[in-house]
Amino acid sequence: MADAMAASEKILSDYKNALEKDFLDYQNSEIKLADMEVKTETTRIDKEINKEVALEQIKLRMELSKKAAELKEKIFTQLEGRLADYQSSPEYKALLDSQIERALKFAGDDEVKIYIDPNDEALAHGLSVEHGIDISISKYPFHGGMRAVIPAKNILIDNSFEKKIAEAKDKFDVDMEVL
């Protein structure tokens, strides 16, 4: 009976040890599986966050670009207003005199045709008399300044404010870092 009890206890102990080993193996397996699920979910969440951040950055860049364009437009609207004020000053007539003088000097003995903006029509006669040439009024407004054509050299001298403003707009860049 003692041998049978000892054998029974040994069988029971071996079975208990086998169950404990199986349980530990199961726990380790489940822990590894849970770790893998956590890593997978973490990676998925990171990707989702990165995607949302990228979309938000694009949205912010678009807003920033829009604000920069609005600021640029506001600056150039103010510039055009100041140019309009400048065109009624004596300095503007002096600028036209200087531009005409340089165009005449550049043309030398060649024929030159000088055009001024339709808004400057009142200055045309005085400029014609002062420089001894016929000053024409352009059919198309160009916001001030003057244009000269030298047909013999096939040259257009464009000192119009319209051209200068267009060049400035092309070169103008709002520094987005400052905003």
Side-chain angles (χ1 to χ4, degrees), residues 48-112:
E48 187 67 30
I49 289 171
N50 288 341
K51 179 181 172 184
E52 288 177 18
V53 167
L55 290 173
E56 192 63 29
Q57 284 176 334
I58 290 170
K59 187 176 167 184
L60 289 173
R61 282 188 188 118
M62 288 172 60
E63 282 183 41
L64 195 56
S65 179
K66 182 179 174 185
K67 290 291 183 188
E70 288 173 5
L71 179 61
K72 181 178 179 178
E73 187 60 35
K74 184 177 179 181
I75 288 170
F76 280 94
T77 300
Q78 288 177 355
L79 173 67
E80 288 174 6
R82 288 185 177 187
L83 281 175
D85 292 342
Y86 173 72
Q87 287 175 293
S88 61
S89 73
E91 290 85 8
Y92 177 64
K93 185 189 175 299
L95 173 73
L96 287 176
D97 282 331
S98 170
Q99 289 177 344
I100 292 169
E101 196 60 45
R102 283 193 313 249
L104 292 172
K105 185 176 179 182
F106 182 78
D109 294 332
D110 293 327
E111 175 194 2
V112 63

Side-chain angles (χ1 to χ4, degrees), residues 97-139:
D97 282 331
S98 170
Q99 289 177 344
I100 292 169
E101 196 60 45
R102 283 193 313 249
L104 292 172
K105 185 176 179 182
F106 182 78
D109 294 332
D110 293 327
E111 175 194 2
V112 63
K113 191 93 166 140
I114 305 286
Y115 295 92
I116 61 172
D117 191 82
N119 292 331
D120 298 331
E121 189 172 356
L123 302 173
H125 180 71
L127 291 169
S128 291
V129 170
E130 188 174 328
H131 295 284
I133 59 165
D134 186 30
I135 303 284
S136 300
I137 308 301
S138 174
K139 293 178 185 176

Side-chain angles (χ1 to χ4, degrees), residues 18-30:
L19 282 177
E20 284 178 8
K21 183 183 177 288
D22 285 346
F23 182 67
L24 284 174
D25 289 345
Y26 174 77
Q27 279 183 324
N28 289 335
S29 173
E30 287 298 311

Side-chain angles (χ1 to χ4, degrees), residues 38-56:
V38 167
K39 285 180 185 177
T40 302
E41 190 63 18
T42 302
T43 302
R44 187 192 66 76
I45 290 171
D46 285 345
K47 285 181 181 179
E48 187 67 30
I49 289 171
N50 288 341
K51 179 181 172 184
E52 288 177 18
V53 167
L55 290 173
E56 192 63 29

